[in-house]
Amino acid sequence: METSKPTSSRRSYAEGFECVETLDSWVVDDSGPPRIHGYDVESDLAPNYGFVDLLLLSLTGELPDDGASRAVEIVMSFLAPVSSSDGPAHVAVLASLCAAPYQRVVEAGAIGLAEAIGCDIDDVAEVLRWLDDPTTPFPERHRVASADEGASVQRLHACLQAQGTDVPVFAQNPSRLAACVGVLHHAGLIRPIQIATVFIVAQLPAVAAEAAAVRPLGFRDYPLWVPKFRYAEEGKSSGR
Amino acid sequence: MAGDGILESTIVTKVAREEYDDHRYRGYSLFHELLGSETIASLLGLAISGRRLGPDETKMLDDLAVAVCVADPHIWLLKPTRIVAALGNTLPALAVGAVCMEDATLGPWTSVAAARLFVELSAIVERRRLDVAAVDAALDRIASNQSNKRVLPGFGVPLRETDERVVALRARVRSNGREHCPYWKLFERTATLLENERGLRPNIASAFAAVGLDLGFDPKQIGSLGASVALLGCFLPNAVEEAELQSATLRKIPRRFVRYRGQPPRVSPRHQGA
């Protein structure tokens, strides 16, 4: 089948679009020894700062003080546990079960995590608004809902106080999620993408580890019927 | 000069170009040559291979796409899509399905290895008869690219006697008059040999691979083809439905169905010393 040839009169409508010729990089300068927000990573940051310091530097543009760094590190520990019963780890477990290569397992887990974290952060949007303006009333539905949750929030608060850090959100009897987000906000992470990134860095190791523990193709070790789906046919409707 | 820099980084593409009144797609006019004559399946074929299929080939590709539509949400490979969709969004759920498929030992991508096996076997049987040793020789040639080196791709049917998709596809291959195509004939000869000699029956991966090779796709393209039709026919309906249902039991498996099997409770040295 012959193809038609483009004529010289045809032009792409994007061809005349004026734009720059370089891609901007705002955070990492790798034209020489790499720098993050201006600091030499290998000679300055690596010998003098920890990874959470780098995380906060990357996300906020400035090095954190010791208190903020330690607070974020504590919150990341509290966020870290993600079991195979949680969606993101369950996804990675299934990818591993189907003998997907490790890159795909991590990709699958990361997609699941980003979705779940996005739902969580969207759910606490009211808390983020309150954190931006604490003169307004704290949203009631984001207070502690159970004794177990309350105990966990108290442990988080105690960890932070032991480091000499107190964060105003704890005065509101916040839910565990609201408390974690409140601490991150206090450390300068005020945008959803910043908060989500910290969540992902905190949680991806457990997701990957749950998947790594799975025996590929070990289908008898996986509960196929949890949950069970029941197929129900609707009345057929068709143009045929 | 900035202009020279742009030329250095120019990548040649054969996929497409947008234009004012029409667009170019794989060498064809989108609105004057493709629109009105292509189906979704033939468009997939053109997208993946760059080659436009004829009407008979398109019909076979349509049948291939339908024959593999086993979309039960219990299926292990489909469940990640279901889980992510339970969070409310369709496309990330599809993305996770796509990611789980590529290079997995289970699922549509196994047709890549099956296709490679048939390509090697086809070359081998030009010089000698088809027997189990020839099949093993073909497997040795492709084994370095496989994660599970001694599994014969495309053969072996779990949980049942025969792969019902192969039965259905076989009927369509005959109905479309393609049973004499070279790779399909090799598939049938190999299937008979392996069943007689090793009790192994063909699964859909080998049948899909044979049809795909006869349609002119290469092994890796067959993987993209299989994944694409699976995404459309199997993953998409699950993603769409679950994005609506947002089942809580997929977002978090209830406690009573979870069994912890890791390390027992213990205390860290630092906590002991505190």
Side-chain angles (χ1 to χ4, degrees):
Chain A
M1 204 172 282
E2 279 201 44
T3 65
S4 58
K5 293 186 175 62
T7 66
S8 58
S9 63
R10 291 194 186 148
R11 282 191 61 227
S12 155
Y13 52 70
E15 263 181 23
F17 183 74
E18 289 189 3
C19 59
V20 299
E21 292 181 349
T22 54
L23 177 65
D24 290 338
S25 179
W26 292 91
V27 175
V28 176
D29 178 4
D30 61 357
S31 59
R35 291 176 179 271
I36 293 180
H37 286 296
Y39 295 102
D40 187 309
V41 172
E42 295 169 9
S43 306
D44 185 348
L45 296 177
N48 298 307
Y49 293 89
F51 179 70
V52 175
D53 299 315
L54 246 77
L55 184 63
L56 288 169
L57 169 65
S58 299
L59 291 172
T60 69
E62 297 298 335
L63 282 165
D65 61 48
D66 289 346
S69 191
R70 186 66 188 119
V72 169
E73 192 172 47
I74 288 169
V75 164
M76 290 178 75
S77 292
F78 272 70
L79 291 171
V82 179
S83 95
S84 57
S85 63
D86 293 306
H90 192 179
V91 164
V93 159
L94 282 161
S96 197
L97 185 69
C98 294
Y102 73 90
Q103 312 94 309
R104 310 288 167 249
V105 173
V106 174
E107 283 167 4
I111 292 172
L113 260 186
E115 281 299 292
I117 289 164
C119 283
D120 281 346
I121 293 176
D122 287 350
D123 191 50
V124 294
E126 302 163 274
V127 174
L128 285 171
R129 283 195 292 275
W130 178 85
L131 288 164
D132 287 337
D133 182 7
T135 62
T136 56
F138 187 84
E140 281 301 318
R141 72 181 187 93
H142 291 294
R143 299 196 197 273
V144 159
S146 71
D148 284 348
E149 186 181 27
S152 177
V153 173
Q154 281 179 4
R155 286 190 289 268
L156 175 59
H157 196 189
C159 276
L160 293 166
Q161 286 176 318
Q163 302 297 320
T165 300
D166 210 342
V167 179
V169 71
F170 288 98
Q172 304 298 325
N173 201 23
S175 68
R176 192 177 188 273
L177 178 59
C180 289
V181 170
V183 174
L184 297 181
H185 189 278
H186 189 71
L189 302 169
I190 61 176
R191 298 171 62 194
I193 191 171
Q194 295 169 321
I195 296 168
T197 301
V198 170
F199 271 60
I200 286 175
V201 173
Q203 296 179 335
L204 189 58
V207 167
E210 286 284 4
V214 167
R215 183 171 64 92
L217 307 178
F219 297 110
R220 296 203 183 279
D221 299 330
Y222 177 81
L224 181 65
W225 308 110
V226 176
K228 202 174 252 191
F229 294 89
R230 182 177 60 85
Y231 177 60
E233 286 199 352
E234 295 174 330
K236 295 189 180 79
S237 62
S238 160
R240 300 184 191 182
Chain B
M1 286 174 62
D4 290 343
I6 289 289
L7 286 174
E8 280 169 12
S9 64
T10 299
I11 299 168
V12 176
T13 176
K14 295 177 186 172
V15 171
R17 183 178 124 121
E18 48 81 14
E19 294 181 350
Y20 277 118
D21 56 357
D22 193 358
H23 303 284
R24 307 298 299 172
Y25 186 92
R26 286 290 200 188
Y28 296 92
S29 157
L30 184 65
F31 297 145
H32 298 294
E33 290 178 300
L34 300 182
L35 184 63
S37 61
E38 297 303 305
T39 68
I40 284 185
S42 64
L43 192 64
L44 263 179
L46 178 60
I48 290 169
S49 70
R51 191 174 68 84
R52 201 173 175 189
L53 301 178
D56 291 344
E57 294 171 313
T58 298
K59 197 164 184 321
M60 187 68 249
L61 189 54
D62 277 326
D63 285 344
L64 196 60
V66 173
V68 300
C69 278
V70 181
D72 188 318
H74 293 102
I75 292 171
W76 300 279
L77 207 53
L78 295 181
K79 209 161 171 187
T81 284
R82 209 75 203 200
I83 293 167
V84 173
L87 294 159
N89 294 312
T90 306
L91 295 186
L94 272 187
V96 90
V99 154
C100 286
M101 275 194 283
E102 183 150 354
D103 290 327
T105 302
L106 185 77
W109 207 263
T110 53
S111 59
V112 176
R116 288 192 178 125
L117 182 77
F118 283 138
V119 169
E120 294 296 336
L121 192 55
S122 174
I124 288 171
V125 300
E126 281 179 7
R127 301 184 305 275
R128 53 170 291 180
R129 57 189 280 260
L130 174 66
D131 55 18
V132 175
V135 174
D136 285 342
L139 181 61
D140 283 340
R141 288 196 189 176
I142 70 165
S144 60
N145 290 327
Q146 282 194 199
S147 57
N148 194 344
K149 296 189 186 323
R150 295 315 304 171
V151 169
L152 196 59
F155 292 89
V157 182
L159 303 177
R160 56 224 196 272
E161 288 275 320
T162 53
D163 190 327
E164 66 291 336
R165 296 165 296 180
V166 173
V167 174
L169 189 61
R170 211 173 238 144
R172 294 308 303 168
V173 167
R174 279 194 212 107
S175 175
N176 289 321
R178 297 185 69 84
E179 68 270 33
H180 302 298
C181 289
Y183 280 105
W184 186 261
K185 287 196 321 189
L186 179 61
F187 158 75
E188 292 285 30
R189 289 172 62 203
T190 308
T192 302
L193 170 76
L194 288 173
E195 182 168 358
N196 291 341
E197 298 291 326
R198 292 199 176 152
L200 284 175
R201 288 188 175 167
N203 61 50
I204 189 62
S206 52
F208 193 102
V211 173
L213 287 167
D214 283 329
L215 286 172
F217 296 97
D218 69 36
K220 193 136 193 217
Q221 290 171 344
I222 286 170
S224 294
L225 188 66
S228 300
V229 298
L231 277 172
L232 280 176
C234 306
F235 291 86
L236 184 59
N238 278 291
V240 168
E241 181 180 68
E242 194 57 54
E244 283 296 314
L245 295 176
Q246 298 186 39
S247 309
T249 48
L250 284 172
R251 294 200 301 274
K252 175 86 178 175
I253 299 295
R255 183 78 247 156
R256 66 186 184 280
F257 295 115
V258 181
R259 180 177 59 156
Y260 175 66
R261 300 182 63 191
Q263 293 274 4
R266 50 182 173 163
V267 179
S268 73
R270 290 181 189 173
H271 194 62
Q272 283 174 357

